[in-house]
Amino acid sequence: MITREAALEFGLSFQNTYTERPFRDQNWQVVRARENKKIFLWIYERNGYVNLNVKADPKWRDFWRSAYESVQAGYHQNKEHWNTIILNGTVPDKDIKRMISESYDLVTYSPTKKIYEAVKQIPKGCVATYGQVAEMAGNPRMSRAVGNALHKNPDPEHIPCYRVVNFRGELSGAFAFGGKDVQKKLLEADGIEVVNGTVDLKKYGLAQRDDKLWKNKNLQQ
């Protein structure tokens, strides 16, 4: 990948993205995530080469800079969070694509996505509280955001929001799952006993099952 066209094509291959030229200087072109309009890829020519600016996780930023001489601190950007890739043929395509992909993930990975990823970690036969899910998602104070996200669950088949209960083990109202007793039936299908609309957290709670998934630090990064 050494051309502007190839870089642009890959940048636009991600879901809900678009390109624009934000400056009078038409040399500068960007690719944004449509949902939040954040830029994850800058494309421009400098010193005879096409350059790409990509956002970098601080934990990987220096790794890429040390791995390739043509990956440098972000040109004209915050050098703590951006790297510049000089497309001079010395960086393999797979690593260029990986860095662009990481940049895209950084600007689109919202708290809601973290919540959904956390809920996916709740195993069959267990429930987690809103507070636990918030902690798994990286912010123990966003219990209310957990509730809002789960009520808008875009993929119930793969995001088992019915396994989330309040701090007393109580189930949500009928509105949350499209009908009375729907959550109860789903939990019972998982082998969880529901008594008077409540789950015994001492028996079925995620932490009580000594399951370390709810402490998974990867979800907080």
Side-chain angles (χ1 to χ4, degrees):
M1 182 187 295
I2 59 173
T3 67
R4 177 189 292 265
E5 291 75 18
L8 180 61
E9 181 180 6
F10 185 72
L12 292 174
S13 69
F14 294 92
Q15 185 176 11
N16 293 325
T17 57
Y18 66 98
T19 184
E20 67 177 13
R21 296 180 188 267
F23 308 125
R24 289 184 179 179
D25 182 354
Q26 295 296 290
N27 178 39
W28 290 83
Q29 191 169 12
V30 302
V31 182
R32 298 180 186 267
R34 190 174 299 279
E35 183 179 0
N36 55 23
K37 298 183 180 180
K38 289 185 177 180
I39 298 172
F40 67 94
L41 177 63
W42 296 78
I43 307 172
Y44 56 97
E45 293 179 29
R46 180 170 177 261
N47 296 331
Y49 294 107
V50 174
N51 284 210
L52 309 178
N53 281 11
V54 293
K55 197 162 189 180
D57 188 311
K59 291 175 295 184
W60 285 94
R61 175 198 63 212
D62 295 334
F63 167 80
W64 291 118
R65 294 178 190 176
S66 62
Y68 300 106
E69 289 186 7
S70 51
V71 177
Q72 303 173 1
Y75 175 68
H76 270 311
Q77 289 191 280
N78 186 325
K79 292 171 175 49
E80 293 293 318
H81 299 285
W82 290 84
N83 277 343
T84 292
I85 310 169
I86 302 171
L87 300 186
N88 59 9
T90 62
V91 183
D93 276 11
K94 64 180 181 64
D95 285 340
I96 295 173
K97 290 179 178 179
R98 180 176 171 182
M99 285 184 271
I100 296 173
S101 298
E102 289 172 352
S103 182
Y104 174 80
D105 288 342
L106 285 170
V107 304
T108 60
Y109 202 35
S110 67
T112 297
K113 289 185 179 180
K114 290 185 179 182
I115 289 168
Y116 291 149
E117 290 301 316
V119 173
K120 290 178 183 179
Q121 304 305 311
I122 306 171
K124 183 177 181 180
C126 290
V127 296
T129 66
Y130 291 95
Q132 283 178 315
V133 172
E135 184 175 353
M136 292 161 68
N139 186 347
R141 298 182 180 181
M142 63 178 183
S143 296
R144 181 171 294 182
V146 171
N148 292 336
L150 297 186
H151 292 162
K152 299 175 182 178
N153 186 353
D155 188 8
E157 183 177 354
H158 298 103
I159 305 172
C161 57
Y162 65 89
R163 294 176 184 162
V164 183
V165 297
N166 71 14
F167 70 97
R168 298 188 184 92
E170 297 170 342
L171 276 56
S172 300
F175 69 91
F177 296 94
K180 184 179 180 181
D181 294 332
V182 173
Q183 185 179 15
K184 177 176 181 291
K185 292 177 181 177
L186 291 170
L187 289 172
E188 288 176 339
D190 273 2
I192 296 173
E193 185 179 13
V194 179
V195 179
N196 296 324
T198 304
V199 173
D200 185 349
L201 293 179
K202 291 183 179 180
K203 185 176 182 180
Y204 299 106
L206 196 56
Q208 299 302 326
R209 291 284 298 273
D210 195 28
D211 195 312
K212 295 181 180 180
L213 285 171
W214 73 285
K215 294 181 179 179
N216 185 349
K217 299 302 182 183
N218 290 332
L219 290 170
Q220 300 180 29
Q221 297 174 355

